[in-house]
Amino acid sequence: MEVVIQPDHESACLLCARLIADALRAKPTLVLGLATGRTMERVYQLLAHWCFFDGLDFSLARTFNLDEYVGLGPDDPRSYRYYMNRNLFDKVNIDLRNTHVLHGLADDLEQECARYEALIAEHGGIELQLLGIGRTGHIGFNEPLSAMLSRTRPKALTLATRQQNAFLFGGVDEVPARALTMGVGTILDARRCLLLATGEEKAEVVAQAVEGPVTSMISASALQLHPHCRVILDEPAASRLVGREYYDFIYEHEPEWAPYR
Ligand code: GLP
């Protein structure tokens, strides 16, 4: 795992977007895993801007989203499919047929999850997986006690997660009780992972995920097992880390980071 700390939300989003854009330029047919949430909105804005003004080309890219609420259809403004269309897909030259989001309205949820796993495999697996982190330490919707080897499946949401996302639904009781999510094992299968977290409210859970023990109580801590995982933080989100000096040293001195400094 490598941790890079940027001064603020804007510069953290900029670095994250540059890493995605560079991966896409290096491989136009990239299979990209995508995340939702407020943190990602600026990242998608930047990618859309570069697509429009700098020729960043999504025409051959394939995408798989991490998760979707059970019971919400693609036309529901609160669904993650809707979020992705509005924040990214409608603004770049991607072929919508190459964008994949779990169907929250599927009759058979288990079957839908199996279909999604098979589709990822058919595409040769995810090459770069973008991740946020929830207050419970979840990646995707892998709530506490999600098995490290879990695959895509329906998952009950915790009260904390429903509270975190209540603003979108007009109250916690309106937030769906369940979601479909890639499993921790599905995420760990991605060739590279890129986690972005900003803001003071993420500081504690980021410290647990990055420097704490690997535990299913904090799903993001499983990323410590991943051979190619980068974590991009802003100062407030990094404020509880104890190994800061070393992380900064790596960013300042390792040649792979030279183009981004
Ligand atoms: C939701 C998503 C996660 C995301 C998290 C953080 O719970 N399922 O994938 O990481 O929100 O969201 P935010 O960026 O709004 O803090």
Side-chain angles (χ1 to χ4, degrees):
M1 184 179 270
E2 277 184 308
V3 179
V4 176
I5 299 153
Q6 296 289 288
D8 50 30
H9 175 76
E10 177 63 18
S11 46
C13 291
L14 181 62
L15 175 58
C16 187
R18 284 184 67 196
L19 290 165
I20 297 168
D22 286 350
L24 186 58
R25 285 195 195 95
K27 189 172 182 199
T29 59
L30 191 71
V31 181
L32 191 54
L34 294 174
T36 52
R38 280 178 285 187
T39 315
M40 299 303 162
E41 287 174 11
R42 181 66 183 141
V43 174
Y44 294 148
Q45 257 177 25
L46 287 163
L47 292 173
H49 183 86
W50 296 334
C51 179
F52 196 80
F53 291 104
D54 297 328
L56 180 65
D57 183 16
F58 283 82
S59 64
L60 300 175
R62 286 86 51 83
T63 69
F64 287 89
N65 263 79
L66 283 166
D67 46 17
E68 180 60 284
Y69 289 107
V70 169
L72 300 191
D75 299 329
D76 190 317
R78 302 164 304 180
S79 73
Y80 284 163
R81 162 52 83 177
Y82 192 96
Y83 169 105
M84 287 312 304
N85 288 353
R86 194 192 55 206
N87 285 289
L88 185 66
F89 301 152
D90 290 347
K91 297 182 176 159
V92 297
N93 65 332
I94 201 162
D95 183 341
L96 270 186
R97 290 169 301 183
N98 290 336
T99 69
H100 305 285
V101 183
L102 285 148
H103 294 151
L105 284 179
D107 290 334
D108 185 335
L109 296 175
E110 297 288 347
Q111 198 184 0
E112 168 61 6
C113 293
R115 180 195 69 86
Y116 205 67
E117 284 280 341
L119 200 60
I120 293 172
E122 253 173 56
H123 282 75
I126 291 168
E127 293 172 290
L128 177 61
Q129 177 66 58
L130 178 62
L131 298 160
I133 185 169
R135 274 183 222 158
T136 62
H138 67 217
I139 44 178
F141 267 134
N142 289 288
E143 296 287 36
L145 297 187
S146 288
M148 296 278 169
L149 300 180
S150 52
R151 309 303 303 184
T152 305
R153 68 210 185 290
K155 189 76 195 160
L157 300 178
T158 60
L159 180 59
T161 294
R162 287 169 46 232
Q163 280 165 343
Q164 189 187 331
N165 294 316
F167 72 100
L168 286 170
F169 291 84
V172 68
D173 293 336
E174 306 305 316
V175 183
R178 302 170 86 208
L180 303 181
T181 180
M182 281 187 201
V184 180
T186 318
I187 293 168
L188 290 179
D189 279 352
R191 250 92 81 203
R192 287 176 287 162
C193 288
L194 181 60
L195 185 142
L196 173 66
T198 61
E200 221 274 315
E201 70 276 11
K202 300 282 173 74
E204 183 56 43
V205 81
V206 163
Q208 286 178 287
V210 171
E211 295 179 336
V214 174
T215 166
S216 60
M217 283 302 288
I218 304 285
S219 291
S221 70
L223 295 169
Q224 294 176 31
L225 302 171
H226 195 284
H228 298 286
C229 178
R230 287 167 161 176
V231 176
I232 313 288
L233 306 172
D234 67 356
E235 284 287 350
S239 57
R240 302 277 174 87
L241 295 175
V242 296
R244 170 72 192 264
E245 218 174 299
Y246 179 56
Y247 314 146
D248 287 347
F249 182 85
I250 288 176
Y251 182 64
E252 290 306 325
H253 293 91
E254 286 298 296
E256 58 176 302
W257 289 108
Y260 302 99
R261 289 197 284 267

Tab-separated table of all heavy atoms in Angstrom, residues 6 14-15 18-19 22 230 250-261:
chain	number	residue	atom	x	y	z
A	6	GLN	N	-2.215	14.914	0.029
A	6	GLN	CA	-2.258	16.182	-0.697
A	6	GLN	C	-2.842	17.252	0.230
A	6	GLN	O	-3.537	16.932	1.181
A	6	GLN	CB	-3.121	16.031	-1.948
A	6	GLN	CG	-2.563	15.038	-2.952
A	6	GLN	CD	-1.318	15.544	-3.635
A	6	GLN	OE1	-1.358	16.435	-4.466
A	6	GLN	NE2	-0.172	14.989	-3.266
A	14	LEU	N	-7.581	15.901	-7.900
A	14	LEU	CA	-6.797	16.113	-9.121
A	14	LEU	C	-5.797	14.976	-9.327
A	14	LEU	O	-5.690	14.423	-10.423
A	14	LEU	CB	-6.081	17.474	-9.038
A	14	LEU	CG	-5.245	17.875	-10.244
A	14	LEU	CD1	-6.114	18.005	-11.489
A	14	LEU	CD2	-4.532	19.205	-9.982
A	15	LEU	N	-5.088	14.598	-8.264
A	15	LEU	CA	-4.119	13.506	-8.381
A	15	LEU	C	-4.825	12.199	-8.746
A	15	LEU	O	-4.380	11.455	-9.627
A	15	LEU	CB	-3.335	13.354	-7.067
A	15	LEU	CG	-2.367	12.168	-7.015
A	15	LEU	CD1	-1.337	12.236	-8.145
A	15	LEU	CD2	-1.656	12.122	-5.654
A	18	ARG	N	-5.876	12.278	-12.335
A	18	ARG	CA	-4.717	12.148	-13.240
A	18	ARG	C	-4.265	10.691	-13.336
A	18	ARG	O	-3.900	10.220	-14.404
A	18	ARG	CB	-3.552	13.017	-12.738
A	18	ARG	CG	-3.761	14.495	-13.020
A	18	ARG	CD	-2.552	15.301	-12.598
A	18	ARG	NE	-1.382	15.015	-13.418
A	18	ARG	CZ	-0.133	15.353	-13.084
A	18	ARG	NH1	0.107	15.977	-11.949
A	18	ARG	NH2	0.868	15.075	-13.890
A	19	LEU	N	-4.300	9.985	-12.211
A	19	LEU	CA	-3.902	8.569	-12.229
A	19	LEU	C	-4.864	7.749	-13.099
A	19	LEU	O	-4.441	6.874	-13.854
A	19	LEU	CB	-3.857	8.012	-10.807
A	19	LEU	CG	-2.707	8.546	-9.934
A	19	LEU	CD1	-2.952	8.224	-8.464
A	19	LEU	CD2	-1.361	7.972	-10.381
A	22	ASP	N	-4.291	8.772	-16.838
A	22	ASP	CA	-3.044	8.191	-17.366
A	22	ASP	C	-3.217	6.702	-17.654
A	22	ASP	O	-2.698	6.189	-18.647
A	22	ASP	CB	-1.891	8.410	-16.385
A	22	ASP	CG	-1.422	9.863	-16.394
A	22	ASP	OD1	-1.871	10.622	-17.283
A	22	ASP	OD2	-0.637	10.246	-15.515
A	230	ARG	N	-3.074	2.088	-3.945
A	230	ARG	CA	-2.680	3.454	-3.601
A	230	ARG	C	-3.829	4.128	-2.868
A	230	ARG	O	-5.001	3.966	-3.249
A	230	ARG	CB	-2.361	4.239	-4.875
A	230	ARG	CG	-1.045	3.798	-5.492
A	230	ARG	CD	-0.905	4.341	-6.878
A	230	ARG	NE	0.493	4.304	-7.300
A	230	ARG	CZ	0.920	4.652	-8.496
A	230	ARG	NH1	0.060	5.080	-9.408
A	230	ARG	NH2	2.192	4.607	-8.799
A	250	ILE	N	8.270	8.780	0.548
A	250	ILE	CA	8.080	7.963	-0.658
A	250	ILE	C	7.553	8.819	-1.806
A	250	ILE	O	8.059	8.771	-2.932
A	250	ILE	CB	7.136	6.781	-0.357
A	250	ILE	CG1	7.869	5.774	0.520
A	250	ILE	CG2	6.640	6.116	-1.648
A	250	ILE	CD1	7.037	4.610	0.981
A	251	TYR	N	6.557	9.626	-1.519
A	251	TYR	CA	5.974	10.477	-2.563
A	251	TYR	C	7.029	11.450	-3.114
A	251	TYR	O	7.084	11.703	-4.318
A	251	TYR	CB	4.763	11.228	-2.000
A	251	TYR	CG	4.072	12.091	-3.020
A	251	TYR	CD1	3.456	11.526	-4.130
A	251	TYR	CD2	4.014	13.477	-2.866
A	251	TYR	CE1	2.816	12.307	-5.074
A	251	TYR	CE2	3.374	14.269	-3.801
A	251	TYR	CZ	2.772	13.683	-4.905
A	251	TYR	OH	2.147	14.469	-5.836
A	252	GLU	N	7.882	11.953	-2.240
A	252	GLU	CA	8.902	12.927	-2.669
A	252	GLU	C	10.057	12.285	-3.414
A	252	GLU	O	10.715	12.948	-4.212
A	252	GLU	CB	9.458	13.695	-1.450
A	252	GLU	CG	8.475	14.671	-0.823
A	252	GLU	CD	7.907	15.667	-1.837
A	252	GLU	OE1	8.645	16.066	-2.763
A	252	GLU	OE2	6.711	16.006	-1.725
A	253	HIS	N	10.351	11.020	-3.146
A	253	HIS	CA	11.584	10.435	-3.679
A	253	HIS	C	11.424	9.297	-4.674
A	253	HIS	O	12.334	9.053	-5.454
A	253	HIS	CB	12.471	9.956	-2.519
A	253	HIS	CG	12.974	11.089	-1.694
A	253	HIS	ND1	12.294	11.560	-0.596
A	253	HIS	CD2	14.071	11.870	-1.827
A	253	HIS	CE1	12.960	12.574	-0.081
A	253	HIS	NE2	14.039	12.789	-0.802
A	254	GLU	N	10.310	8.590	-4.652
A	254	GLU	CA	10.196	7.438	-5.560
A	254	GLU	C	9.939	7.933	-6.988
A	254	GLU	O	9.069	8.783	-7.213
A	254	GLU	CB	9.059	6.512	-5.105
A	254	GLU	CG	9.398	5.692	-3.873
A	254	GLU	CD	10.568	4.739	-4.081
A	254	GLU	OE1	10.464	3.819	-4.899
A	254	GLU	OE2	11.609	4.936	-3.408
A	255	PRO	N	10.665	7.388	-7.960
A	255	PRO	CA	10.569	7.869	-9.344
A	255	PRO	C	9.157	7.761	-9.943
A	255	PRO	O	8.764	8.602	-10.740
A	255	PRO	CB	11.536	6.958	-10.115
A	255	PRO	CG	12.187	6.073	-9.134
A	255	PRO	CD	11.686	6.350	-7.774
A	256	GLU	N	8.389	6.733	-9.527
A	256	GLU	CA	7.048	6.571	-10.091
A	256	GLU	C	6.142	7.784	-9.832
A	256	GLU	O	5.183	8.027	-10.562
A	256	GLU	CB	6.396	5.310	-9.506
A	256	GLU	CG	6.338	5.408	-7.999
A	256	GLU	CD	5.626	4.262	-7.301
A	256	GLU	OE1	4.449	4.007	-7.592
A	256	GLU	OE2	6.276	3.646	-6.444
A	257	TRP	N	6.470	8.542	-8.763
A	257	TRP	CA	5.620	9.689	-8.428
A	257	TRP	C	6.108	10.989	-9.065
A	257	TRP	O	5.443	12.021	-8.959
A	257	TRP	CB	5.495	9.853	-6.901
A	257	TRP	CG	4.664	8.768	-6.280
A	257	TRP	CD1	5.096	7.734	-5.498
A	257	TRP	CD2	3.239	8.585	-6.422
A	257	TRP	NE1	4.057	6.919	-5.148
A	257	TRP	CE2	2.903	7.423	-5.694
A	257	TRP	CE3	2.232	9.282	-7.085
A	257	TRP	CZ2	1.597	6.945	-5.619
A	257	TRP	CZ3	0.928	8.803	-7.013
A	257	TRP	CH2	0.620	7.658	-6.288
A	258	ALA	N	7.299	10.951	-9.700
A	258	ALA	CA	7.891	12.182	-10.249
A	258	ALA	C	6.922	12.964	-11.158
A	258	ALA	O	6.807	14.180	-11.017
A	258	ALA	CB	9.195	11.844	-10.977
A	259	PRO	N	6.184	12.283	-12.070
A	259	PRO	CA	5.313	13.053	-12.950
A	259	PRO	C	4.167	13.764	-12.208
A	259	PRO	O	3.522	14.653	-12.756
A	259	PRO	CB	4.713	12.002	-13.902
A	259	PRO	CG	5.478	10.747	-13.678
A	259	PRO	CD	6.126	10.837	-12.336
A	260	TYR	N	3.911	13.354	-10.992
A	260	TYR	CA	2.740	13.882	-10.263
A	260	TYR	C	3.087	14.902	-9.186
A	260	TYR	O	2.206	15.477	-8.571
A	260	TYR	CB	1.961	12.716	-9.628
A	260	TYR	CG	1.511	11.716	-10.668
A	260	TYR	CD1	2.223	10.547	-10.893
A	260	TYR	CD2	0.402	11.976	-11.462
A	260	TYR	CE1	1.828	9.643	-11.864
A	260	TYR	CE2	-0.013	11.083	-12.433
A	260	TYR	CZ	0.708	9.920	-12.639
A	260	TYR	OH	0.314	9.034	-13.605
A	261	ARG	N	4.393	15.078	-8.937
A	261	ARG	CA	4.772	15.973	-7.839
A	261	ARG	C	4.636	17.437	-8.229
A	261	ARG	O	4.774	17.788	-9.369
A	261	ARG	CB	6.217	15.702	-7.401
A	261	ARG	CG	6.371	14.380	-6.676
A	261	ARG	CD	7.653	14.306	-5.896
A	261	ARG	NE	8.818	14.077	-6.712
A	261	ARG	CZ	9.352	12.863	-6.985
A	261	ARG	NH1	8.827	11.781	-6.454
A	261	ARG	NH2	10.399	12.748	-7.745
